[in-house]
Amino acid sequence: MEHLISLDIKDNTFARQFEIMVTEGLVAVEYSFQERKLFLTKINTPDHFENTALIHQFITDILAIAKERKLKVVPILPEIVTFFKKNPEFKELLPPGIRL
């Protein structure tokens, strides 16, 4: 998958979410963290935000952060499960025993 643009991702540890600002407002991916695993639980977007390419880029960049921090990723949200299925290069980030 090509890199569209460089996203300025903020890891808001207090709110437990990764955030980016877009013209329409704040886009955030909520997470929880336990035992070196990052659980991606929810995507919040502004009303009428439909830029799926940007969301995919955001998820790709979050997975790069997880890889850099040597974390395993547990996709809870169906959209992120679908992303993993469509992008098998990220399957190495799944914890042992998780099959999609």
Side-chain angles (χ1 to χ4, degrees), residues 36-47:
R36 311 272 319 139
K37 291 186 190 99
L38 187 64
F39 292 78
L40 300 177
T41 56
K42 187 175 181 186
I43 298 176
N44 295 317
T45 59
D47 290 340

Side-chain angles (χ1 to χ4, degrees), residues 12-89:
N12 184 338
T13 53
F14 181 73
R16 292 192 329 255
Q17 62 188 20
F18 292 103
E19 303 170 342
I20 56 171
M21 284 303 295
V22 295
T23 0
E24 297 86 348
L26 181 72
V27 177
V29 174
E30 293 180 14
Y31 64 83
S32 62
F33 183 76
Q34 71 184 60
E35 299 174 9
R36 311 272 319 139
K37 291 186 190 99
L38 187 64
F39 292 78
L40 300 177
T41 56
K42 187 175 181 186
I43 298 176
N44 295 317
T45 59
D47 290 340
H48 310 296
F49 184 78
E50 309 254 336
N51 191 338
T52 54
L54 182 75
I55 296 293
H56 285 188
Q57 184 61 53
F58 190 22
I59 294 169
T60 299
D61 289 357
I62 289 170
L63 295 179
I65 291 168
K67 187 174 186 174
E68 185 180 295
R69 295 180 184 175
K70 296 181 176 21
L71 301 173
K72 293 296 182 183
V73 176
V74 181
I76 304 294
L77 193 64
E79 287 174 75
I80 298 177
V81 170
T82 302
F83 180 87
F84 268 92
K85 287 179 180 177
K86 289 181 178 174
N87 299 281
E89 65 270 22

